[in-house]
Amino acid sequence: MIGYMNIVVTIKQVPEDPGAVKINRETNTLVREGIPCVVNPYDLFAIEEALRIRESLQKAGARTRITVITMGPPQARSVLEEAIAMGVDNGILLSDRAFAGADVLATSYTLGKGIRKMEMVSGETIDLVICGRQSTDGDTAQVGPELAEFLGIPHVARVFAIDEIDASSARVRRRSDEGYETIQVDLPALLTVDKGINQPRVTSLKGMMRARKADIPTWGASDIGAEHDRIGLSGSPTKVVRVFSPGKSHKARLLQGSPEEVAHELAEVIRKALSS
Ligand code: FAD
């Protein structure tokens, strides 16, 4: 019988129009200042799923605490407010100049340290972490799995249905290339949820009033005990060397012939393109 569940949802602030962002040519990172930003659309499904788990557990007499956490610039507070307006209990902002330019590994490490700090502050362990499947800007879909590794918990990615959940485990369905799989996973666990798992609710006026007044702590690198060589640009083993919109060329060419001939000609075309 479950009495209480502690859920964390990771949410990311992304540009409303990914095509409108500017790139800092020195660091190849996004210039987010002055760009209208929103909650990463996949994370709205994650927030809604946490709220639905709360509602289903409430029927069984269980309580839940739902916390959203984001790593981003100070203006990322707005995505936490939106989540609180949807009905989550509280939000944590991980913000520090030292976090800037983080790649997926550094982001996952930072989120992991932030979640462990939450557990220390609340004295409660986390039972479930829900992430969106991917962000619409970085689009790597790696933070969820890497965060699970940092937390030392199992994860299931691309979940499109949570069929059962109790204090010790969850039975979920995830999309696969062949169709879908049903997976039983022990808690604590991390799930990344896919679009279509639910229909995210809209924020209520009452929720927005509550969000405006919410006390949202901002934690920097020293607050979460992050090692400086594992955060931000300097803690990122991968560098985005170039971000560009591929030029549109309409020079299409149909390669004809046997599979061997087409493969040979394709190799020639690629070799020429790489050497040009
Ligand atoms: P994803 O893994 O796609 O996001 C999955 C989920 O993780 C999200 O739905 C959300 O729930 C959670 N999440 C992601 N970021 C945060 C956050 N900051 N706070 C809270 N929750 C979060 N980094 C690389 O390591 N390799 C790359 O190839 C790479 N390419 C990039 C290309 C572009 C155009 C950009 C803008 C960034 C790129 N990055 C890359 C940097 C990477 O986007 C950031 O490190 C980012 O914070 C995490 O990666 P993601 O956006 O791909 O997240």
Side-chain angles (χ1 to χ4, degrees):
M1 174 55 181
I2 184 169
Y4 179 74
M5 180 171 279
N6 213 347
I7 303 173
V8 173
V9 182
T10 63
I11 65 175
K12 184 182 185 186
Q13 183 184 54
V14 294
E16 187 172 31
D17 169 7
V21 291
K22 306 247 179 324
I23 304 289
N24 175 328
R25 288 294 166 213
E26 267 117 62
T27 58
N28 272 308
T29 53
L30 290 187
V31 179
R32 296 177 193 273
E33 284 65 35
I35 301 271
C37 288
V38 293
V39 178
N40 174 45
Y42 284 93
D43 301 342
L44 292 172
F45 296 111
I47 296 165
E48 176 64 29
E49 202 54 24
L51 294 168
R52 288 179 181 218
I53 290 171
R54 155 184 286 161
E55 287 152 3
S56 73
L57 293 182
Q58 252 161 2
K59 289 185 196 118
R63 287 181 311 110
T64 47
R65 175 208 284 260
I66 304 174
T67 303
V68 280
I69 187 167
T70 192
M71 179 192 87
Q75 60 265 32
R77 176 191 163 99
S78 62
V79 296
L80 298 169
E81 286 183 0
E82 183 167 343
I84 291 170
M86 283 174 74
V88 309
D89 297 298
N90 41 40
I92 307 275
L93 174 59
L94 302 178
S95 197
D96 188 319
R97 284 200 171 286
F99 296 153
D103 73 354
V104 175
L105 189 70
T107 300
S108 311
Y109 167 77
T110 308
L111 288 169
K113 296 294 283 184
I115 290 171
R116 286 297 180 230
K117 162 109 178 169
M118 280 172 56
E119 290 184 314
M120 220 162 56
V121 168
S122 65
E124 298 166 351
T125 51
I126 304 297
D127 301 297
L128 181 64
V129 180
I130 309 179
C131 305
R133 172 183 143 186
Q134 65 200 68
S135 75
T136 53
D137 60 355
D139 208 10
T140 62
Q142 291 170 19
V143 166
E146 291 188 23
L147 175 56
E149 285 307 300
F150 278 118
L151 294 173
I153 59 178
H155 80 272
V156 183
R158 298 184 63 188
V159 169
F160 69 90
I162 298 178
D163 295 323
E164 258 174 50
I165 189 163
D166 61 28
S168 57
S169 70
R171 195 153 55 79
V172 302
R173 277 178 282 156
R174 68 177 294 272
R175 285 207 175 84
S176 72
D177 297 342
E178 297 71 41
Y180 73 85
E181 296 161 350
T182 300
I183 295 177
Q184 187 83 19
V185 59
D186 289 342
L187 300 186
L190 180 146
L191 306 176
T192 81
V193 294
D194 214 336
K195 63 173 175 273
I197 188 171
N198 56 48
Q199 176 54 47
R201 67 196 69 190
V202 289
T203 53
S204 65
L205 188 62
K206 195 166 148 248
M208 283 192 278
M209 308 284 279
R210 190 170 75 90
R212 283 271 176 287
K213 287 186 258 158
D215 169 26
I216 298 178
T218 299
W219 290 342
S222 54
D223 300 313
I224 60 175
E227 293 163 48
H228 270 270
D229 59 355
R230 302 183 70 178
I231 56 176
L233 213 51
S234 55
S236 299
T238 58
K239 298 272 177 285
V240 179
V241 288
R242 198 169 153 226
V243 183
F244 60 97
S245 314
K248 286 192 185 61
S249 78
H250 298 290
K251 272 186 315 183
R253 219 172 102 199
L254 200 59
L255 304 177
Q256 310 266 20
S258 70
E260 291 75 15
E261 286 160 342
V262 168
H264 181 74
E265 198 174 348
L266 184 59
E268 272 315 299
V269 168
I270 293 171
R271 213 191 318 279
K272 273 204 197 94
L274 290 176
S275 59
S276 59

